[in-house]
């Protein structure tokens, strides 16, 4: 049974999400503010967080940043705002997905299921990918560069996994959203660019001249050179 933490200051939203997720068999904890959520993480690590952008004590962006600095927990951000900048900031701070209020509970449920399904997919425990000092363990979801552990968010690892397991194959942004994120994504394909930029900063020696994740102009991205 997966544990889901819902962080939202609106009682109606908390009650709705808790009812829908509990009915689907998830164990759900709801809290009304960011600090309570952060305190809870110290004793209870959820499998996924549904996080509202507008909270009474701190912004969802701030909570998201604090969570991803210490944990590898997937985050779906809820936002009542439609501005692209709010969605971009959420992704840059480590959110894996976002959904705009008002939302259909069925869509939120589908996104939660897809993200958890992708993260819990059983991989061949014998498969490691080693390329120019980068070692990717598909079973343990870990990445080492020159022997040093690199901390990636679940979304970053998913993108790297798809690219690295198809060495030198070029993927469009839509392909990456479908293959890495496990469902027909309805958001802006620029979200892929944001995650790729964050991923490059972590694994590349020089993100302006990448050797692992290469841009194929007019098409998308590939792993490794030609």
């Amino acid at each position: 049974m997966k544990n889901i933490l819902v962080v939202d200051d609106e009682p109606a939203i908390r009650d709705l999400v808790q009812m829908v997720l509990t009915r689907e068999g998830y164990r759900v904890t709801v809290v009304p503010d960011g600090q309570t959520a952060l305190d809870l993480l110290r004793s209870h690590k959820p499998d996924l967080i549904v996080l509202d952008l507008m909270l009474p004590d701190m912004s969802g962006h701030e909570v998201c940043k604090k969570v991803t600095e210490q944990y590898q927990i997937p985050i779906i951000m809820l936002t009542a705002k439609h501005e692209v900048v709010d969605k971009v900031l959420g992704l840059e701070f480590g959110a894996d997905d976002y959904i705009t209020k008002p939302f259909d509970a069925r869509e939120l449920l589908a996104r939660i299921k897809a993200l958890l399904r992708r993260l819990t997919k059983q991989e061949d425990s014998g498969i490691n990918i080693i390329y120019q000092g980068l070692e990717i363990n598909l079973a343990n979801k870990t990445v080492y560069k020159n022997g040093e552990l690199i901390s990636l968010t679940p979304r970053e690892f998913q993108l790297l996994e798809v690219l690295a397991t198809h060495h030198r194959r070029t993927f469009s942004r839509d392909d990456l959203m479908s293959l890495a994120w496990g469902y027909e994504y309805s958001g802006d394909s620029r979200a892929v660019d944001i995650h790729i930029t964050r991923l490059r900063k972590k694994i590349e020696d020089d993100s302006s001249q990448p050797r692992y994740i290469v841009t194929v102009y007019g098409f998308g991205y590939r792993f490794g050179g030609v």
Side-chain angles (χ1 to χ4, degrees), residues 7-54:
V7 189
D8 198 301
D9 64 331
E10 297 183 53
I13 296 294
R14 293 199 305 270
D15 292 345
L16 172 64
V17 175
Q18 184 175 33
M19 179 187 69
V20 171
L21 296 183
T22 300
R23 190 170 57 197
E24 289 294 319
Y26 295 109
R27 184 181 294 113
V28 184
T29 302
V30 296
V31 297
D33 58 75
Q35 190 57 57
T36 303
L38 293 174
D39 291 340
L40 185 65
L41 293 181
R42 300 187 181 104
S43 59
H44 177 72
K45 184 178 177 182
D47 296 292
L48 183 143
I49 300 174
V50 177
L51 174 64
D52 188 27
L53 174 62
M54 304 296 291

Side-chain angles (χ1 to χ4, degrees), residues 1 7 15-16 22 42 50 55 60 63 78 93 99 106 115 125 168 175 182 184 200 207 214 217 221:
M1 183 181 294
V7 189
D15 292 345
L16 172 64
T22 300
R42 300 187 181 104
V50 177
L55 296 171
V63 176
L78 303 179
F93 283 132
I99 187 169
R106 293 170 298 180
L115 186 51
S125 61
R168 296 192 178 96
D175 287 340
E184 197 65 33
R200 279 174 170 166
S207 57
V214 179
Y217 293 99
Y221 300 97

